[in-house]
Amino acid sequence: MISPTVSADVDGPVVVGAVAFRMPAAVDIGVDVFVSATRQAKAVGRVGFAVAAPLAGLALRPARLLQRRWSLASGPVRAEQGRQLRLAGEQQAVEFVSRWLPVIIDRALDRVDVTQLVLDHVQLERIIARLDVVGIAREVIDELDLPEIIRESSSSMASETVVGVRLRGVEADERVGRILDRVLLRRNSRVAADGVGPDGLA
Amino acid sequence: MASPDHLLSVPVQARSFQGRAAGIVTRVAAASIDFIVVIAILGAIYTGIAAVTFIVHPSSFHWPQNLGWSVPVVGFGIGVPYLALSWCTSGRSYGATVLGLRVLGRGGCRLGFGRALARAALCVVFPLGLFWVPFSRDNRSLQDLLLRTTAVYDWSAVRAPADRVVVGDQLR
């Protein structure tokens, strides 16, 4: 049996065993093209990776930062921050409305005859008919405490004199009654004017 | 505690004895004022008579003379209706108004005209009956005892409710 042996020169034919044959040129061209393309692709890949790696890192970093910061910031803190932002917004809105709304309304009312508008479009009789005028008047009178006002308004010097005379009279009644009760040796005194002291004051 | 409505016009220091039977001093003072009122009316009447007489006979002016019993009779005729009408309407004459008194019947009710007329007549005919007040436990005059009336302290503008009137030691 013939053992297969392979030998070849650099530019010579390939010898396989006892048979020698030449490689086609197209194969060599293909190999050369393949190897060259592989080397170029590798070089381009290196450059591309060098350029794309930082960009990819930047693209991925925000997500990582957000995730890291979200893990550090708790829910109540964020709620407080949101509440403060909301309150600040409301305050600004109120200040804006408070400042400009009266001006706007005033300018608008200057251009409108409100009285004539009401007279033309509002049926005052119907409104009055629906109101409980007597009840409102009664509530107003109750709140005013008219008896107290009348009493205070009539508390002139003359009425003070009358009050003084009356109190002295009551005091004298008590004294006379007590004296008579002692003279008559009464155990139970008569009906006393409670609360009246020596000066006629309670 | 809120005061009753009828005591709103009464000073605070006087509210405690409102409705109690009045004593002799206050009642005599009130009666004296009423007497002065009657005398004033009597004087006004005689002044009017003198004025009319002067208009009819302008030659001379003179006060009515030889009045005799006409003064007490006219005084009775003036005083009794004056007191009776005062007691049966508001319960107080002018003197009682000044001194803060009110005359009431049994149970603190207002006097009827008949009882007021009888009380007025008794008071005018026998005013000394008033001096029984200090001897009475209930501060009642003889007229009060006869007619079952009483005079109480009442400084309010409106009449006090009957259940606030005190006679004796009990609330009626």
Side-chain angles (χ1 to χ4, degrees), chain B residues 120-144:
Chain B
L122 287 173
C123 288
V124 171
V125 171
F126 189 65
L128 294 178
L130 191 61
F131 288 93
W132 186 250
V133 170
F135 300 98
S136 168
R137 286 184 180 275
D138 300 340
N139 282 346
R140 293 176 187 269
S141 66
L142 290 178
Q143 292 85 355
D144 290 332

Side-chain angles (χ1 to χ4, degrees), chain A residues 166 173 186 188 190-192 194, chain B residues 16 26 97 134-136 153 168:
Chain A
R166 289 177 177 179
D173 290 339
R186 283 177 176 162
N188 298 324
R190 69 190 65 231
V191 179
D194 294 341
Chain B
S16 60
T26 304
T97 302
F135 300 98
S136 168
Y153 300 114

Side-chain angles (χ1 to χ4, degrees), chain A residues 166 170 173 191, chain B residues 6 17-23 26-27 30 87 90-92 95-97 99-105 107-109 111 119 133 138-140 144 149-156 158-162 164-168 170 172:
Chain A
R166 289 177 177 179
V170 175
D173 290 339
V191 179
Chain B
H6 71 280
F17 54 83
Q18 297 301 301
R20 294 184 181 276
T26 304
R27 295 182 63 169
W87 290 337
S90 63
R92 48 177 44 162
T97 302
L99 271 299
L101 302 179
R102 194 186 296 274
V103 177
L104 300 174
C109 299
L111 264 64
R119 191 177 192 275
V133 170
D138 300 340
N139 282 346
R140 293 176 187 269
D144 290 332
T149 59
T150 186
V152 298
Y153 300 114
D154 187 359
W155 296 15
S156 62
V158 297
R159 187 164 60 89
R164 292 292 303 164
V165 177
V166 177
V167 177
Q170 297 177 346
R172 283 190 178 181

Side-chain angles (χ1 to χ4, degrees), chain B residues 1-12 15:
Chain B
M1 184 177 67
S3 299
D5 292 340
H6 71 280
L7 292 181
L8 285 176
S9 59
V10 178
V12 176
R15 291 179 182 176

